[in-house]
Amino acid sequence: MKRSRGDALLDRLGGPPGLYAAACVAWTVAWFPFRLLLDRGDPIAEIVAASGLRGALFALGWMALGWAQRTYPRAAGRRDDRPPLTASQRRVRAHRGAVVGLGIGVPFFGGLIFLTLSTGRSAGYTVCFAVLLVGIIAVAVTALAREPS
């Protein structure tokens, strides 16, 4: 079965949390112009923080949809003809996902935490971003510990 360019691109991001971190950034960038259109005189820091939180939530929904399609391929109307990954391929995928997840997630959510703390706006945003950052770090550390390279 020939793989599409999109599947190949997603495979380059590795396993969890790499794909989620990249999806958060992509959804945040996509949501930002819409948030600007809905502007009610909010400061730009509030618009960026709201875009970041919505991007993280949309990425969670997108990841859940992808998980459901992989778990129940017949219900989604697809067949998965790909062979299962070997142990070395799983190690490489886990390592790549951890590196990509930490490389994207830490600066992205760290920057959003810094933004919300420095502007003194919405402590709820700060808590949400901190929980997401801790989750990304925990998943990355677990992936690296479970699959030694």
Side-chain angles (χ1 to χ4, degrees), residues 105-128:
V106 170
F108 179 68
F109 287 113
L112 288 172
I113 290 169
F114 178 76
L115 175 74
T116 56
L117 286 175
S118 65
T119 58
R121 291 213 171 262
S122 301
Y125 284 132
T126 306
V127 170
C128 290

Side-chain angles (χ1 to χ4, degrees), residues 33-110:
F34 293 109
R35 185 63 176 89
L36 282 175
L37 289 174
L38 301 173
D39 184 22
R40 297 175 303 238
D42 296 332
I44 193 70
E46 184 73 26
I47 293 171
V48 170
S51 298
L53 187 58
R54 284 191 178 89
L57 293 175
F58 273 83
L60 277 176
W62 181 70
M63 296 296 292
L65 180 64
W67 174 80
Q69 287 181 345
R70 282 188 308 276
T71 304
Y72 305 105
R74 286 188 184 177
R78 297 181 1 184
R79 283 185 18 199
D80 193 9
D81 294 336
R82 287 187 277 169
L85 298 175
T86 64
S88 63
Q89 288 172 329
R90 283 194 309 269
R91 276 194 302 274
V92 167
R93 186 173 190 270
H95 185 266
R96 185 181 305 136
V99 169
V100 169
L102 291 174
I104 293 174
V106 170
F108 179 68
F109 287 113

Side-chain angles (χ1 to χ4, degrees), residues 15-41:
L19 187 59
Y20 175 70
C24 285
V25 173
W27 279 108
T28 298
V29 169
W31 183 255
F32 184 74
F34 293 109
R35 185 63 176 89
L36 282 175
L37 289 174
L38 301 173
D39 184 22
R40 297 175 303 238

